[in-house]
Amino acid sequence: MINNFQDFQKFGQTNVDTALKLFGDWNKGWQAIAAEMTDYSKRAFEDGTATFEKLAAAKSLEQAFEIQSSFAKRAYEDYMQQLTKIGGMYTNLAKDAYKPVEKAFQSAR
């Protein structure tokens, strides 16, 4: 009877430890994603502001068109690169968060 209780208590503690690790990893992943999105937003805002200043100082319509075209190309390429990076971070977050759960299921068998 005592062994069963100790086994049950050990099983419960293992589950609590697994859940805490899962939440800790999940939290770290979300913090990294939030930091990356903040950095991207800051860079995009600064680039947009610098482009607006260049547009305001443009001497001709052709120069303004070139500035705007360059900005649009840069913004699109940076956005696509950021989407790829964030997508990879989400994938890694899901994989890392699932590892403790998978390990718990394997040890329960």
Side-chain angles (χ1 to χ4, degrees):
M1 173 88 174
I2 292 175
N3 285 340
N4 288 340
F5 180 74
Q6 288 173 343
D7 289 343
F8 181 74
Q9 190 175 19
K10 183 178 176 182
F11 179 72
Q13 183 62 42
T14 301
N15 286 342
V16 169
D17 291 344
T18 299
L20 289 175
K21 180 165 178 23
L22 171 74
F23 291 133
D25 291 345
W26 190 258
N27 189 28
K28 287 177 190 174
W30 282 112
Q31 286 177 352
I33 290 169
E36 184 61 38
M37 289 302 295
T38 301
D39 291 344
Y40 169 72
S41 297
K42 183 179 176 184
R43 285 191 320 266
F45 180 77
E46 289 171 353
D47 190 30
T49 302
T51 300
F52 180 76
E53 290 172 358
K54 288 178 188 176
L55 280 171
K59 306 265 190 238
S60 68
L61 189 59
E62 291 83 19
Q63 186 181 16
F65 183 74
E66 180 60 36
I67 292 168
Q68 179 61 30
S69 295
S70 176
F71 171 73
K73 181 180 178 188
R74 245 186 358 265
Y76 175 76
E77 289 172 354
D78 194 29
Y79 179 73
M80 295 308 291
Q81 181 182 15
Q82 192 67 24
L83 278 179
T84 302
K85 186 174 187 177
I86 294 296
M89 291 176 80
Y90 277 118
T91 301
N92 290 338
L93 174 64
K95 286 179 184 177
D96 291 344
Y98 181 70
K99 285 178 185 178
V101 175
E102 182 179 33
K103 185 177 179 183
F105 279 124
Q106 288 176 350
S107 66
R109 290 181 186 177

